[in-house]
């Protein structure tokens, strides 16, 4: 798979004639037809689709000459076609199975090369012995459209009976759809939806889903229809929306340089803040998926103009954290320019000091925090600033929230702590019931101020979310992101942007640096030149500290824009590269 953010291709297609191509799947009762979906043409007749091309699966009913394996494979093809044509699949089922089976529930995704094991115990009449289907599990697409990668062997069983006139019917079928990885690649698209930050409504938070493309509507319609629904379980209680309940998408039309979206529902046309946020949700949900990019988006309510979004509109809805880089030398915080060292920061934080480690910078670079043997200390990056211990105990390395608060986990008392430097009060305890009893070793808040990466032990990463708002904030919604094999160790994690986490792992075979999309688990490996001690990132900039060797000290390296090579930035005496937040 490829990440749209950096490696995707923009699709701008003209008018497409739908051509049926008969590709018969031998023995499995299916044919594949390329479909682009409805296309809206402007008055001049030139095409400007708001959709993505895909192939539609057309399934055949069971044939009386088929054996058990052919019947099962035909059934699976009918499942792949079920969303577009639900009439074929029931023809594979007995009356009893039709009465019990439901397509609802998570979609099981398996590798294409699944195996149908023939029965070993046949009967002349009545049910045939169980048919076992085996394969490798790829993922599960949940009912909220979230995509959860899985691994390991998959197995399920089906019961067939002989049909009148020949062939077989399925007498027992597990609920839900079974799709192959190719089915999902063909008919689904990884899609970024944008909701409002529950604690900071003037910023957006991305929610990644897998949406099934439909021949009856454009991809733009599919995106906006899903945007009107609740976010996935990963962000429930952490984000909100500007769309009132009962809002509907009436139509979407496109022209040479304009997309017109007509909504209906209880929208307050006089609420300017709601207009701004609704426009932002639509803009990013379309443009970040390469739909309508570079064109004016006109939003109408009941056919009347409501809001205009222009391509050159101010882009302040996503976090614009500075990419100013810092590093540590002998316990002192230093600036780093594009070319290398640029001097130490003002005040005590820029002075050499022993016993400080685990440094972290606040959003605007105004404060630095560090671990000591007794707790966490904070200093302002000013001439008058001074180091002050603000939290005591056995703690994880500090991490800053975009609101200016400092967070850590008290490993002795199993408590998540939040400290506000401006409050003048001690640390506040934040509810995190799912962390109770776990060996929490790291805590990293994403720059969106919502998602939180937590490592437990030496080899597991989970992603949670801050929910409940200021009045009842808690850390929950945990989902597993990645685990390493026993004997391996996670050396560092760093947020690259609001979607991607860098995870540095070391094992007997060496080190691996992976960029993982926290929304769907998509992994892109980053090649390494030499062993690393730590990483830091913001957007497309990635810095790393190399491991010190006997013949030389550690140095700071920067990953090239093509993500293939590492270039030295500071040759020696430098450690712990830093960016604000993350």
């Amino acid at each position: 798979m490829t990440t749209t953010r950096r490696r995707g291709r923009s699709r701008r297609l003209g008018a497409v004639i739908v051509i049926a191509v008969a590709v018969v799947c031998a023995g499995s009762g299916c044919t594949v037809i390329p479909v682009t979906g409805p296309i809206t043409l402007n008055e001049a007749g030139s095409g400007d689709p708001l959709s993505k091309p895909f192939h539609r699966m057309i399934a055949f009913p069971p044939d009386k000459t088929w054996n058990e394996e052919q019947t099962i494979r035909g059934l699976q093809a009918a499942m792949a076609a079920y969303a577009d044509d639900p009439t074929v699949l029931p023809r594979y089922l007995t009356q009893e199975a039709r009465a019990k089976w439901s397509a609802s529930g998570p979609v099981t995704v398996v590798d294409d090369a699944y195996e149908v094991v023939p029965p070993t115990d046949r009967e002349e009449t009545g049910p045939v012995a169980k048919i076992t289907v085996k394969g490798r599990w790829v993922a599960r697409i949940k009912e909220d459209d979230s995509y959860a990668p899985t691994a390991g062997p998959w197995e399920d069983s089906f019961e067939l009976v002989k049909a009148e006139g020949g062939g077989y019917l399925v007498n027992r079928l597990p609920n839900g759809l079974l799709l192959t990885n190719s089915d999902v690649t063909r008919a689904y698209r990884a899609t970024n939806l944008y909701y409002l930050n529950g604690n900071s409504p003037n910023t957006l938070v991305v929610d990644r889903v897998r949406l099934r493309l439909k021949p009856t509507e454009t991809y733009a319609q599919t995106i906006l229809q899903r945007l009107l629904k609740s976010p996935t379980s990963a962000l429930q209680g952490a984000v909100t929306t500007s769309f009132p309940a009962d809002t509907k998408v009436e139509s979407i039309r496109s022209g040479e340089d304009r997309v017109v979206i007509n909504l209906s529902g209880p929208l307050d046309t006089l609420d300017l803040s709601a207009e701004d946020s609704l426009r932002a949700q639509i803009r990013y949900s379309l443009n970040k998926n390469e739909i309508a990019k570079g064109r004016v988006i006109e939003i109408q309510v009941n056919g009347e103009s409501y809001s205009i979004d222009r391509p050159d509109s101010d882009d302040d809805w996503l976090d614009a954290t500075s990419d100013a880089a810092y590093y540590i030398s002998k316990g002192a915080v230093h600036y780093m320019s594009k070319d290398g060292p640029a001097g130490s920061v003002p005040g005590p934080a820029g002075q050499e000091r022993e016993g400080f480690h685990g440094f972290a910078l606040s959003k605007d670079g105004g404060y630095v925090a560090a671990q000591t043997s007794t707790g966490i200390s904070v200093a302002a990056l000013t001439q008058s600033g001074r180091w002050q211990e603000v939290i005591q105990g056995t703690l994880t390395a500090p991490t800053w929230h975009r609101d200016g608060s400092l967070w850590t986990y008290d490993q002795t008392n199993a408590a998540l702590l939040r400290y506000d430097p401006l409050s003048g009060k001690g640390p506040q305890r934040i509810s995190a019931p799912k962390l109770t009893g776990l060996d929490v070793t790291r805590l990293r808040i994403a720059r969106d101020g919502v998602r939180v990466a937590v490592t437990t032990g030496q080899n597991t990463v989970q992603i949670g979310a801050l929910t409940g708002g200021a009045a009842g904030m808690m850390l929950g919604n945990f989902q597993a992101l990645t685990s390493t094999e026993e004997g391996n160790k996670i050396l560092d994690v760093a947020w690259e942007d609001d979607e991607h986490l860098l995870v540095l792992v070391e094992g007997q075979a060496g080190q691996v640096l992976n960029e993982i999309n926290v929304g769907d688990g998509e992994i892109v490996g980053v090649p390494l030149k030499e062993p690393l001690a730590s990483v830091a990132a913001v957007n497309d900039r990635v810095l790393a500290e190399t491991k010190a060797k006997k013949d030389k000290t550690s140095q700071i390296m920067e990953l090239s824009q093509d993500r293939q090579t590492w270039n030295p930035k500071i040759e020696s005496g430098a450690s712990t590269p830093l960016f604000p937040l993350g």
Side-chain angles (χ1 to χ4, degrees), residues 108-111 134-139 149-155:
T108 298
V109 186
V110 299
D111 189 77
K134 298 180 179 180
R136 300 296 299 178
W137 207 343
V138 173
T150 56
W154 171 87
E155 180 177 316

Side-chain angles (χ1 to χ4, degrees), residues 144-191:
D144 63 1
D145 300 310
S146 60
Y147 183 94
T150 56
W154 171 87
E155 180 177 316
D156 214 332
S157 61
F158 301 78
E159 184 180 87
L160 302 185
V161 296
K162 291 183 178 180
E164 290 186 20
Y168 298 90
L169 293 176
V170 178
N171 196 46
R172 191 192 71 79
L173 178 65
N175 284 336
L177 295 175
L178 172 65
L179 303 184
T180 66
N181 196 42
S182 289
D183 293 332
V184 174
T185 300
R186 176 178 58 249
Y188 287 74
R189 294 294 179 268
T191 305

Side-chain angles (χ1 to χ4, degrees), residues 325 327 334-344 569-572 574:
Y327 67 96
H334 291 254
Y335 297 111
M336 187 169 69
S337 70
K338 295 287 184 180
D339 300 320
S344 60
K569 302 300 292 185
I570 303 177
E571 297 288 352
S572 64

Side-chain angles (χ1 to χ4, degrees), residues 394-561:
T394 304
L395 311 169
T396 60
T399 182
W400 291 92
H401 190 280
R402 58 178 291 117
D403 68 3
S405 59
L406 181 70
W407 295 62
T408 185
Y409 193 81
D410 186 334
Q411 296 167 315
T412 301
N413 298 304
L416 177 63
L417 303 178
R418 175 185 184 272
Y419 171 75
D420 184 354
L422 301 180
S423 70
K425 301 178 181 178
Q428 169 193 9
R429 188 165 182 159
I430 302 296
S431 176
K434 294 296 183 180
L435 296 182
T436 302
L438 299 180
D439 178 21
V440 177
T441 49
R442 286 181 193 82
L443 190 77
R444 291 285 187 275
I445 300 176
R447 293 182 176 91
D448 62 16
V450 169
R451 287 188 171 89
V452 181
V454 175
T455 62
T456 54
Q458 292 188 336
N459 57 7
T460 300
V461 182
Q462 297 184 70
I463 302 296
L466 293 172
T467 66
M473 185 178 291
M474 68 173 291
L475 177 56
N477 295 3
F478 279 104
Q479 299 184 358
L481 181 67
T482 186
S483 295
T484 67
E485 298 178 358
E486 187 174 352
N488 292 350
K489 181 180 181 180
I490 295 174
L491 296 182
D492 202 9
V493 298
W495 286 99
E496 187 174 6
D497 55 29
D498 298 343
E499 295 181 71
H500 300 89
L501 188 75
L502 291 174
V503 180
L504 178 63
V505 178
E506 185 172 66
Q508 292 184 351
Q511 289 189 350
V512 175
L513 179 61
N514 285 330
E515 177 194 76
I516 306 178
N517 188 305
V518 299
D520 62 9
E522 178 187 53
I523 298 176
V524 177
V526 179
L528 295 180
K529 180 180 180 180
E530 55 185 296
L532 305 180
S534 67
V535 292
V538 60
N539 298 323
D540 289 336
R541 270 195 96 183
V542 179
L543 298 173
E545 171 195 357
T546 63
K547 277 194 169 184
K549 300 178 181 179
K550 291 182 179 180
D551 58 340
K552 65 177 183 179
T553 61
S554 62
Q555 60 177 323
I556 303 293
M557 309 283 288
E558 182 164 2
L559 186 62
S560 62
Q561 287 296 302

Side-chain angles (χ1 to χ4, degrees), residues 5 77 95 124 135 167 174 200 202 239 247 255 258 263 272 340 364 418 512 580:
R5 174 174 53 88
Q95 184 174 353
E124 293 297 325
S200 179
N202 62 339
V239 297
T247 302
R258 180 178 294 259
L263 306 175
L272 297 181
D364 58 2
R418 175 185 184 272
V512 175

Side-chain angles (χ1 to χ4, degrees), residues 29 92 101 125 180 221 226 242 257 275 284 294 313 341 355 377 386 442 465 469 487 489 503 522 539 563 569:
Y92 281 84
W101 181 78
T125 60
T180 66
Q221 288 174 308
R226 179 59 184 83
S242 55
D257 59 357
E275 175 195 338
Y284 287 98
S313 299
S377 294
R386 61 186 181 88
R442 286 181 193 82
K489 181 180 181 180
V503 180
E522 178 187 53
N539 298 323
R563 304 236 150 182
K569 302 300 292 185

